[in-house]
Amino acid sequence: MSSSNKSRESWKTGLSLVGIIVIGILLNIFGSKLNGALGSPLFIDNIGTLLSALLGGYIPCITVGFFTNIINGLSDSFTMYYCIISVLIAVAAVSFAENMRRLKIRYICLGTLTFAFLGGVVGGLLTWLINGLNFGEGYAVDIASKINSVIPMGYFLSNLLSAFLIDLVDKAITVVIVLIIYKLLPLRLLNFVHTRSWYYIKAFEKPSRHNRKRVSLRIKVTLVVALSITLVVTAAIGVSILQYHNSTVAEYEEDGRYAARVISEKIDPERVNDFILKGEQAEGYRDVEELLKTIADSSPEIKYVYVYRVEKDGTHVIFDVDTQDLEADEYGEVIEYDDSIEKYRDKFLAGEEIPTDITDDEDGWLLTVYEPVKDNTGKVQCYIGIDMEMNRLRSDEFAFLAKIISLFLGFLILIRTYAIWMAERHIIKPINSIAHVSRRSGYDTPEARELWITMLDNLNIRTGDEIETLYEDYRRAAHNTVRYIEEIQHKSEQLTKLQNGLILVLADMVESRDQCTGDHVFKTAAYTEIILRQMQIEGIYADELSEEYIEEVINSAPLHDVGKITVSDVILNKPGRLTDEEFRIMQSHTTEGGKIIDKAIAIVDEDSGYLNEAKNLALYHHEKWNGKGYPTGLKGTEIPLSARVMAVADVFDALVSRRSYKEPFTIEKALDIIKEDAGTHFDPLVAKAFLDAEEDVRRIAKLNMEL
């Protein structure tokens, strides 16, 4: 591709990404505003997020989820702190996107439940934290109250259940709307966006057989980005929490001192002695007492208001105000020093200024300020005490921390995703491209070698750094190595031909003893290859069906009946049905075949793929999917895949072949039997692949009927 074409393609990619993001954000905002205008208790604010997941994968989807909340937060700051919920829904949506596009009901339902759990339960927990361990007010809280009245489960659980149920309805409606929109989009547009580079970025790397024991470069980039952002944001959060705490404590202190100063202006220092001795009978006492009560009721943070004179014999009560949990002390009463006064006893007795005191004991978390009341000579006559309850500060700090962490986590996932994308394009993809082409060097055909060199040359990596140098050095080495590979491949082909020839000779020797089976081993090998290739086309058991595996199974297929060499000719060629004992002996050909191949494996004394598969074929090709086969009664995927494939090929060939005890079935009848026994005798996926390749099956069957 020329540089101008690459530039145009890059512009198209960028514009398509921006387009999906903008449309997704607009859809989210439109759904939210429309729902608000209708006065519905739902949200409908994830349409754009889910549609972005179906269209573009993690990059646009996470971006839409994050910035929707940021934009909505400009008008409602509370919304901004839920960006982590939107980002988590985005990640989940991409995970379910492929199956949702295919309209797989099970995954659509599971995805909807997952979205509802994240939005309702996780979002509900976040609401509880942000509101200071309270769910606040609203429709969900009202429903929670009704749920709790019917099924008592407590305030917390009933609110989470209420939030989940409401969000389940919300997400179900959203999913339906998104799927309708997606299915109405033109196929050309879908094909275009599904081929963009950002579409293939994964939020979480799946371990492959090439990096299971190593930490991939992708993970290292993620760790560096995450660690860097985490350190910076953690420091910022710590400073913010400290500043928030100090400013709030200062605010409490200022409020307390202001209240104390208001009281001090009302107390005549010359009458303090009368207040102690006469109490309510003293002139002005009631006025001061009413002022204390008024101030105590003026703020929920003011817990205790009192006026004391501190003497050596104890604390002399002048004024004290009743509270809900503590009865006031009487005027003139002398009480023992409490911890706060004891701490500053010398200062109290000396009539000095008392610093603000913070205590956390059975009375709660309190901030106490003392204001001295001085007479004309400057002597302190008493102290006004204001205890400020600071429990709200804990919940406020907790809520503040929840908001900051929520916003940080959403931002971290967003930055991480974009960092991975950039690293993929400029570091990981070039390296993986070289590694991918390098793995092709193991193929041993002239075409594969030519493809390898062509692919390597076509990479044309131009990063302008050490990666480009690595690529150029590797490319030169690859060209120099090809001629050596050609020579090695030639020798390898000779050995392979010798190996396969010996297998066929051995299989032919076994088969020549059985006068009924004809070319059974060759036909079953042909059917086996048809099934494996069809499964490969359809993506069935794709993790197992490597090209090497397929070749091993095909090459070892003729050995599946090698154990018959141990069965008597009398039994093997008996024209009628076998007795139970004879049938038991005939069944032993599976275990005997396994033993024979075990000996071959021991002789080779190394891991041989084709011998391992030959053993699986010989030992297990009469096992059944439902576990009723022999010799060991394996069932389902416990049976090796190669044996499950051979089971279909073996039975079909037996059905369409002539035997001494039966006439051949028609191909149609044999195919019907395979179809009927799928899920009982046969692996249903293997049977499906066989039936899907009916044209090739008929060709082999008819060809062998003519022989």
Side-chain angles (χ1 to χ4, degrees):
M1 183 182 295
S2 66
S3 59
S4 60
N5 288 337
K6 286 184 178 180
S7 179
R8 284 195 296 270
E9 186 67 17
S10 178
W11 272 102
K12 288 180 180 180
T13 297
L15 289 175
S16 60
L17 176 60
V18 173
I20 291 176
I21 292 173
V22 171
I23 292 172
I25 293 175
L26 291 177
L27 283 174
N28 281 349
I29 295 176
F30 174 77
S32 177
K33 299 298 182 185
L34 177 62
N35 188 67
L38 296 175
S40 168
L42 305 177
F43 305 99
I44 316 298
D45 58 350
N46 289 120
I47 295 175
T49 302
L50 299 190
L51 185 61
S52 300
L54 296 184
L55 286 174
Y58 286 104
I59 293 291
C61 184
I62 292 176
T63 305
V64 168
F66 181 83
F67 281 102
T68 294
N69 285 79
I70 297 299
I71 293 172
N72 283 334
L74 298 177
S75 58
D76 179 10
S77 60
F78 199 71
T79 306
M80 186 180 299
Y81 301 116
Y82 287 85
C83 65
I84 181 58
I85 304 300
S86 296
V87 169
L88 290 177
I89 290 175
V91 173
V94 179
S95 300
F96 288 101
E98 182 176 353
N99 290 303
M100 291 177 68
R101 284 195 293 266
R102 297 177 181 177
L103 299 181
K104 293 187 177 182
I105 301 301
R106 180 177 63 176
Y107 290 98
I108 291 174
C109 293
L110 183 58
T112 303
L113 288 172
T114 302
F115 306 149
F117 175 81
L118 293 172
V121 178
V122 180
L125 284 171
L126 186 58
T127 299
W128 182 67
L129 293 173
I130 290 176
N131 284 332
L133 309 184
N134 188 285
F135 286 98
E137 299 177 352
Y139 190 78
V141 177
D142 295 338
I143 292 180
S145 179
K146 295 177 181 178
I147 292 174
N148 199 38
S149 64
V150 177
I151 307 174
M153 59 178 64
Y155 172 78
F156 182 75
L157 291 180
S158 62
N159 273 277
L160 286 185
L161 178 59
S162 172
F164 173 75
L165 294 176
I166 291 174
D167 217 73
L168 182 61
V169 176
D170 173 76
K171 294 305 182 288
I173 294 173
T174 300
V175 167
V176 171
I177 293 173
V178 168
L179 290 176
I180 291 174
I181 294 175
Y182 182 81
K183 290 301 179 182
L184 291 177
L185 294 175
L187 183 60
R188 183 177 179 182
L189 173 63
L190 298 179
N191 289 335
F192 175 78
V193 297
H194 287 172
T195 56
R196 302 302 94 191
S197 61
W198 36 262
Y199 177 75
Y200 299 98
I201 300 299
K202 303 298 181 184
F204 303 101
E205 184 180 29
K206 293 182 178 179
S208 69
R209 62 178 181 174
H210 303 292
N211 63 4
R212 284 175 184 165
K213 297 182 180 180
R214 294 177 288 125
V215 179
S216 70
L217 184 60
R218 199 175 200 268
I219 294 176
K220 291 178 181 177
V221 171
T222 299
L223 290 176
V224 169
V225 172
L227 183 60
S228 301
I229 297 177
T230 300
L231 290 175
V232 173
V233 175
T234 300
I237 290 175
V239 172
S240 299
I241 287 290
L242 182 61
Q243 290 182 336
Y244 180 84
H245 176 85
N246 291 338
S247 64
T248 305
V249 169
E251 183 180 341
Y252 275 103
E253 182 178 5
E254 180 61 30
D255 290 346
R257 294 213 174 272
Y258 175 77
R261 284 195 295 270
V262 171
I263 297 172
S264 69
E265 292 174 0
K266 190 69 175 178
I267 296 177
D268 184 351
E270 306 300 331
R271 295 181 179 176
V272 170
N273 289 328
D274 287 344
F275 291 161
I276 295 175
L277 295 174
K278 300 178 181 180
E280 296 179 354
Q281 304 302 320
E283 182 182 352
Y285 187 93
R286 288 185 178 274
D287 293 337
V288 176
E289 188 176 46
E290 287 300 321
L291 177 61
L292 264 65
K293 292 179 180 179
T294 301
I295 288 178
D297 295 335
S298 66
S299 171
E301 277 74 40
I302 297 178
K303 188 171 185 179
Y304 303 121
V305 180
Y306 47 88
V307 180
Y308 291 161
R309 171 180 282 177
V310 180
E311 301 285 357
K312 291 182 178 181
D313 61 341
T315 302
H316 294 249
V317 178
I318 303 174
F319 294 97
D320 198 6
V321 178
D322 286 326
T323 63
Q324 292 181 352
D325 56 354
L326 187 65
E327 184 177 351
D329 295 318
E330 294 293 333
Y331 66 87
E333 186 177 350
V334 179
I335 59 178
E336 294 181 359
Y337 298 149
D338 62 18
D339 292 340
S340 179
I341 293 179
E342 181 66 38
K343 185 188 302 182
Y344 302 107
R345 175 182 176 181
D346 293 340
K347 289 183 178 291
F348 276 111
L349 294 175
E352 299 177 1
E353 295 288 336
I354 308 300
T356 300
D357 188 42
I358 297 178
T359 57
D360 192 358
D361 51 29
E362 65 275 4
D363 292 327
W365 192 22
L366 300 177
L367 180 147
T368 304
V369 296
Y370 294 100
E371 181 71 19
V373 178
K374 300 179 181 180
D375 59 18
N376 293 331
T377 64
K379 182 180 179 181
V380 175
Q381 295 297 322
C382 61
Y383 285 92
I384 301 166
I386 305 290
D387 288 340
M388 306 290 293
E389 189 173 40
M390 296 203 301
N391 288 333
R392 184 173 64 84
L393 176 59
R394 275 202 180 99
S395 61
D396 288 348
E397 288 179 339
F398 209 55
F400 179 75
L401 186 62
K403 293 175 183 178
I404 294 297
I405 291 177
S406 171
L407 191 61
F408 157 65
L409 288 177
F411 181 70
L412 176 62
I413 294 175
L414 177 72
I415 294 300
R416 174 192 181 280
T417 306
Y418 273 90
I420 288 299
W421 178 30
M422 298 302 294
E424 284 275 0
R425 293 187 61 185
H426 298 288
I427 302 174
I428 299 172
K429 186 177 179 181
I431 292 177
N432 282 344
S433 297
I434 296 174
H436 173 72
V437 173
S438 176
R439 288 193 290 271
R440 299 299 297 269
S441 65
Y443 290 170
D444 52 5
T445 65
E447 294 79 11
R449 286 192 294 276
E450 181 65 27
L451 177 62
W452 170 41
I453 293 299
T454 301
M455 289 175 61
L456 188 59
D457 291 340
N458 288 342
L459 288 180
N460 195 28
I461 294 174
R462 293 291 179 265
T463 58
D465 52 26
E466 291 82 359
I467 294 177
E468 181 178 342
T469 302
L470 172 66
Y471 164 70
E472 291 295 343
D473 290 344
Y474 177 71
R475 190 168 67 91
R476 283 192 295 269
H479 280 276
N480 293 333
T481 303
V482 165
R483 63 179 180 271
Y484 298 109
I485 295 178
E486 292 287 348
E487 181 180 349
I488 294 172
Q489 180 60 31
H490 177 68
K491 294 179 179 179
S492 178
E493 287 175 355
Q494 289 180 322
L495 291 174
T496 299
K497 290 178 180 179
L498 177 60
Q499 169 188 292
N500 292 338
L502 291 174
I503 291 174
L504 292 176
V505 169
L506 178 60
D508 190 47
M509 289 172 60
V510 175
E511 183 186 350
S512 65
R513 300 178 59 246
D514 189 341
Q515 300 171 1
C516 299
T517 57
D519 294 322
H520 174 68
V521 293
F522 300 101
K523 291 183 288 181
T524 51
Y527 294 134
T528 297
E529 181 173 7
I530 290 172
I531 296 171
L532 291 170
R533 295 300 180 189
Q534 186 65 30
M535 289 168 63
Q536 190 179 42
I537 292 172
E538 297 182 12
I540 299 172
Y541 298 121
D543 292 342
E544 296 183 61
L545 288 183
S546 65
E547 189 64 32
E548 181 182 2
Y549 175 84
I550 292 174
E551 291 297 328
E552 288 171 352
V553 175
I554 293 172
N555 290 335
S556 59
L559 290 176
H560 74 279
D561 275 338
V562 68
K564 286 185 177 180
I565 199 169
T566 65
V567 179
S568 168
D569 289 349
V570 175
I571 297 175
L572 200 61
N573 297 310
K574 184 176 180 179
R577 291 190 174 277
L578 302 177
T579 64
D580 291 344
E581 178 62 21
E582 289 171 338
F583 186 66
R584 185 188 63 77
I585 295 173
M586 178 62 79
Q587 286 181 322
S588 69
H589 81 277
T590 57
T591 54
E592 293 299 327
K595 293 177 183 178
I596 292 171
I597 299 175
D598 265 336
K599 293 179 180 179
I601 292 174
I603 294 172
V604 173
D605 194 25
E606 65 179 34
D607 185 18
S608 174
Y610 85 92
L611 283 179
N612 289 332
E613 291 309 321
K615 179 181 176 181
N616 288 337
L617 288 167
L619 192 55
Y620 302 118
H621 70 280
H622 282 293
E623 299 286 1
K624 295 183 178 181
W625 184 256
N626 60 9
K628 296 182 179 181
Y630 65 87
T632 57
L634 297 180
K635 64 180 179 179
T637 55
E638 295 174 351
I639 307 169
L641 178 58
S642 57
R644 303 200 305 267
V645 171
M646 177 55 71
V648 176
D650 191 41
V651 170
F652 179 79
D653 184 64
L655 291 172
V656 298
S657 299
R658 186 183 304 277
R659 294 288 187 265
S660 59
Y661 52 85
K662 76 168 188 71
E663 292 297 318
F665 285 23
T666 64
I667 294 176
E668 289 74 15
K669 177 63 176 175
L671 290 172
D672 287 342
I673 291 174
I674 297 297
K675 184 176 182 180
E676 290 171 4
D677 287 351
T680 55
H681 188 156
F682 309 117
D683 180 336
L685 294 178
V686 174
K688 176 182 180 301
F690 180 79
L691 296 171
D692 289 346
E694 180 178 341
E695 183 178 342
D696 291 332
V697 170
R698 287 179 176 274
R699 176 176 53 80
I700 297 298
K702 289 179 180 179
L703 179 63
N704 284 282
M705 286 178 180
E706 294 171 0
L707 295 177

